Amino acid sequence: MGETATRILLGFVIAGAVVLVAGVVLLIWLLATGAQGRRAPATDEPPVVRLAPGQRILSLSRGPDDLAILLEDEAGRQVLRLLDPDSGATLHDLPVTTAP
């Protein structure tokens, strides 16, 4: 192997090592801040779910990032409410209707 080919190969090895180290550092940083950075910090107080007068909970299920509660009011109308499990804040209210 010639001297020029050896230098080119050495350059590829050094560049690959730099890219590998940068990738490992980036991966560690993303693991440390990525998943936890999206969620609100938990407080000592439990979250409170506020219902309108006459509403009752029919069903409750837990997803990876939210809680789904099926509510029914005095008139029989149903709403699927998605909640943030950490704060209890309402993310979405989806009215439940019958199909035409």
Side-chain angles (χ1 to χ4, degrees), residues 56-60 68-72 78-81 96:
R56 64 187 181 115
I57 298 174
L58 297 178
S59 166
L60 174 91
I69 299 177
L70 181 62
L71 302 172
E72 185 176 64
Q78 294 181 346
V79 173
L80 183 64
R81 181 171 291 168
V96 178

Side-chain angles (χ1 to χ4, degrees), residues 21-31:
V21 169
V24 169
V25 169
L26 179 64
L27 179 63
I28 291 170
W29 179 75
L30 286 174
L31 289 174

Side-chain angles (χ1 to χ4, degrees), residues 4-46:
T4 305
T6 305
R7 287 184 183 195
I8 291 173
L9 183 60
L10 181 62
F12 279 124
V13 169
I14 292 172
V18 169
V19 169
L20 182 64
V21 169
V24 169
V25 169
L26 179 64
L27 179 63
I28 291 170
W29 179 75
L30 286 174
L31 289 174
T33 62
Q36 294 88 4
R38 285 183 276 152
R39 299 194 86 153
T43 61
D44 293 337
E45 299 177 15

